[in-house]
Amino acid sequence: QVQLVESGGGLGRPGGSRGLSCAASGKILSINDMGWYRQAPGKQRELVAVIGSGSSTVYADSVKGRFTISRDNAKNTVYLQMNTLSPEDTAVYYCNAKIRSSILRSSDYWGQGTQVTVSS
């Protein structure tokens, strides 16, 4: 019943900026960690950034200083602000959240993925 819906993907220019958002809906008792992963062609899916329920953050070295993850708990939404984009940022970006939907169930949920392409 829980669903994550992403938005904000598309074409970006080198050096430019773009923002992604992901909203969770459905039966949600609480949300712990929320994060963004990405998968480039021919590569494994990798962690981009994660934010805890207390707003502590962890970033991949490749995006430190350029990307910012944030969350709005009232909206059950996580954001990824991407600055100083590089063609190497081109990938499908996936939203992930650890959500407790009942007293007996806590699971990872994934968004459908959104394509981000950085090109001149």
Side-chain angles (χ1 to χ4, degrees), residues 46-119:
E46 65 176 354
L47 174 71
V48 176
V50 62
I51 183 167
S53 60
S55 296
S56 61
T57 58
V58 175
Y59 294 92
D61 288 340
S62 59
V63 306
K64 285 181 180 178
R66 299 190 299 120
F67 290 10
T68 301
I69 188 170
S70 61
R71 64 191 289 170
D72 186 335
N73 291 330
K75 297 180 179 179
N76 290 331
T77 299
V78 62
Y79 306 93
L80 185 68
Q81 179 62 44
M82 303 182 292
N83 298 326
T84 319
L85 286 167
S86 164
E88 294 185 351
D89 296 317
T90 295
V92 178
Y93 285 70
Y94 297 90
C95 175
N96 171 264
K98 293 177 171 58
I99 298 174
R100 178 167 294 281
S101 57
S102 74
I103 190 69
L104 298 177
R105 186 173 181 82
S106 182
S107 303
D108 280 356
Y109 292 87
W110 293 88
Q112 78 285 354
T114 184
Q115 176 71 46
V116 174
T117 301
V118 183
S119 175

